[in-house]
Amino acid sequence: MNSTSLQGELMLGQHTATSLAQRFGTPLYVYDKELIESRYRQLDAAFTGLKHRICYAVKANSNLAVLQLLAHLGAGFDIVSGGELERVLAAGGDPAQVVFSGVGKSAAEIERALQLGIHCFNAESSAELQMIIEIATAMGKPAPISLRVNPDVDAGTHPYISTGLRDNKFGIPIEEALALYRQAAQEPYLRIVGIDCHIGSQLVTVQPFVDALERVLRLVDQLADIDIHLGHVDVGGGLGVSYRGESVPSAQDYVEALRPLLAGRSLQVICEPGRWLVADAGTLLTRVVRLKDNGDRHFAVVDAAMNDLLRPSLYQSWMEIRACTDAGVAEQIYDIVGPVCETGDYLGKERRLRLREGTLLAVMQAGAYGYTMSSNYNTRPRAAELMVDGAHCHLVRQRETLSDLMRGESLLPLSTDKEQACN
Ligand SMILES: *Cc1c(COP(=O)(O)O)cnc(C)c1O
């Protein structure tokens, strides 16, 4: 995790947060290369003895440098759009190690992925399978598929990030999957390679993963009985991190819980972690713009907002907020809010901090679902992203400019310019 200097200053790699903020401005996302590497290696090591592949879920943090780093370490990728596929390619990832999830893959996305030779489509409905068949037939190229089954287990997480229950849009109900596999096996332009599930995000116990895998493996055995043999089982992502000191499973706890179920099978195990690999490696630096009181309530208005970091507003997520330096004033209870015109625009509520105007704050564990969920709401250019690597640092995304934001927009040919319409 992140350290503090002798003076109590927050350190990111070997840099003080203050020096990075001074040099690159705020709001600023900072990722620690060593922390991402060490997470990947821990998980990879935990899988020792099992034929496995870690397919990083790109949507957690899709910065090209992050993808490049993970590809370099040997990761495959779990993507949910054609855009993410192009990012993987641009970062030097191997399409043959890509699994393509998502309920709404378009014809163009399927065609491109098939052309590039991805490892498999995680198909989420029979209608999607039909579309894949049509495209594969037209291209004369059999499509590798896995069915994403919905094992109907409760991941015990926030409703917005729980995906393994029957009544949400994800996956194929597990009782319908056998029939669909049987149909798929008859299709000359489908190649059945595996099965997958993904039951939700930010799971803090291993039991739901075990329950889901048991159900999935029961189906694997039923499929073997009808001579449909799978190459892999994909257990999805969802491993949680400790945002608030809660105890969470380690990589080893996670793999050891699954291992007895997988032992003695020749299946390759694929997992799709996103958050667990990158959340702890990221910090969002933001500066106090103004302190303001409304009656008894104290607000610190900072220069990052819900458009930069949506998790608190969208999921009511609690994220640790620290002052990077000692402001030398009395502690107060503050709501840390952004400048966006929404009551829901906050990063944290009721935080005990010592603040003055200009104090630098750090929102911790912001490496996952931070930048990737950011937007330009209120015409706010998105933050810069920086990767620290010990004593080095690399600007891996420039701060957006207002002209970036307006690029592609045009004015109407009003009044005197009427004749120039539509060219
Ligand atoms: C989002 C997602 C993941 C990653 O989830 P994390 O909680 O970040 O590990 C994995 N697989 C699929 C299909 C997803 O949609």
Side-chain angles (χ1 to χ4, degrees):
M1 282 264 183
N2 304 92
S3 54
T4 41
S5 72
L6 290 176
Q7 291 73 37
E9 267 224 57
L10 177 69
M11 299 297 293
L12 299 167
Q14 291 170 26
H15 310 267
T16 61
T18 349
S19 68
L20 296 178
Q22 246 156 29
R23 194 164 150 205
F24 297 98
T26 53
L28 177 69
Y29 274 98
V30 184
Y31 310 125
D32 189 328
K33 176 168 170 274
E34 288 172 6
L35 289 177
I36 298 175
E37 284 169 338
S38 106
R39 277 292 162 99
Y40 182 86
R41 294 204 169 108
Q42 275 173 46
L43 186 57
D44 194 39
F47 273 110
T48 301
L50 291 169
K51 197 164 76 164
H52 67 280
R53 175 160 305 275
I54 300 169
C55 288
Y56 168 64
V58 172
K59 74 178 189 289
N61 184 329
S62 60
N63 184 283
L64 291 180
V66 172
L67 303 183
Q68 176 199 21
L69 175 60
L70 287 162
H72 186 73
L73 290 166
F77 296 94
D78 170 52
I79 59 164
V80 293
S81 73
E84 289 187 350
L85 179 54
E86 300 307 325
R87 284 188 170 276
V88 168
L89 293 180
D94 179 3
Q97 307 301 344
V98 165
V99 301
F100 194 166
S101 303
V103 292
K105 301 173 193 79
S106 71
E109 288 174 325
I110 293 169
E111 202 175 308
R112 174 78 172 143
L114 187 55
Q115 194 76 60
L116 288 168
I118 63 165
H119 176 64
C120 75
F121 294 94
N122 289 342
E124 303 219 12
S125 62
S126 79
E128 181 188 334
L129 269 190
Q130 274 317 310
M131 186 183 261
I132 294 174
I133 292 167
E134 280 161 29
I135 293 165
T137 309
M139 290 172 66
K141 187 171 183 189
I145 59 123
S146 153
L147 296 189
R148 174 170 177 183
V149 300
N150 185 331
D152 196 25
V153 301
D154 186 354
T157 183
H158 189 283
Y160 284 8
I161 51 178
S162 177
T163 56
L165 279 171
R166 195 192 307 270
D167 59 358
N168 72 51
K169 68 178 176 182
F170 296 102
I172 295 159
I174 196 157
E175 6 15 289
E176 294 167 25
L178 186 72
L180 204 52
Y181 268 109
R182 206 195 290 267
Q183 283 174 30
Q186 307 302 315
E187 295 291 340
Y189 281 99
L190 291 183
R191 197 157 53 77
I192 298 174
V193 298
I195 189 165
D196 72 285
C197 67
H198 169 71
I199 56 174
S201 202
Q202 184 53 16
L203 274 72
V204 294
T205 62
V206 294
Q207 197 56 44
F209 292 116
V210 172
D211 294 346
L213 183 56
E214 273 174 353
R215 291 180 195 193
V216 167
L217 290 174
R218 221 174 291 147
L219 181 57
V220 169
D221 293 335
Q222 290 166 354
L223 289 168
D225 290 342
I226 56 169
D227 225 23
I228 296 175
H229 301 282
L230 306 182
H232 77 251
V233 58
D234 180 339
V235 297
L239 192 55
V241 300
S242 179
Y243 287 107
R244 204 175 181 172
E246 63 270 50
S247 82
V248 291
S250 66
Q252 213 146 20
D253 297 336
Y254 171 66
V255 176
E256 290 316 309
L258 303 180
R259 189 184 293 275
L261 301 176
L262 295 163
R265 292 176 179 267
S266 59
L267 287 169
Q268 179 190 42
V269 51
I270 294 178
C271 63
E272 305 170 344
R275 186 191 311 274
W276 191 83
L277 288 173
V278 293
D280 289 356
T283 308
L284 174 62
L285 298 180
T286 179
R287 218 178 265 290
V288 175
V289 175
R290 186 160 299 116
L291 298 176
K292 137 166 203 180
D293 298 334
N294 278 358
D296 294 343
R297 200 102 185 162
H298 306 295
F299 294 93
V301 186
V302 298
D303 64 5
M306 64 188 289
N307 75 294
D308 298 297
L309 181 62
L310 187 58
R311 298 188 66 254
S313 299
L314 183 63
Y315 309 120
Q316 294 78 52
S317 306
W318 192 94
M319 301 179 76
E320 186 189 344
I321 300 174
R322 292 189 200 171
C324 297
T325 50
D326 186 350
V329 290
E331 271 188 349
Q332 288 254 40
I333 310 275
Y334 290 101
D335 286 353
I336 312 298
V337 302
V340 163
C341 300
E342 295 281 342
T343 305
D345 178 28
Y346 71 93
L347 300 179
K349 288 193 172 158
E350 300 183 4
R351 305 303 173 89
R352 185 180 293 278
L353 290 162
R354 299 174 195 277
L355 301 180
R356 45 167 102 226
E357 239 171 61
T359 303
L360 186 67
L361 297 178
V363 185
M364 309 307 291
Q365 296 163 293
Y369 305 104
Y371 192 93
T372 52
M373 296 182 89
S374 67
S375 75
N376 296 121
Y377 189 39
N378 280 208
T379 303
R380 292 172 49 83
R382 286 177 300 171
E385 293 176 290
L386 191 71
M387 180 84 74
V388 295
D389 179 11
H392 302 283
C393 65
H394 308 277
L395 185 64
V396 294
R397 186 195 301 256
Q398 294 176 5
R399 185 175 304 285
E400 270 181 333
T401 63
L402 288 170
S403 61
D404 289 335
L405 265 61
M406 290 187 252
R407 191 179 57 231
E409 292 183 50
S410 47
L411 298 173
L412 290 171
L414 292 180
S415 62
T416 55
D417 304 335
K418 238 177 224 155
E419 44 285 75
Q420 298 176 14
C422 254
N423 46 19

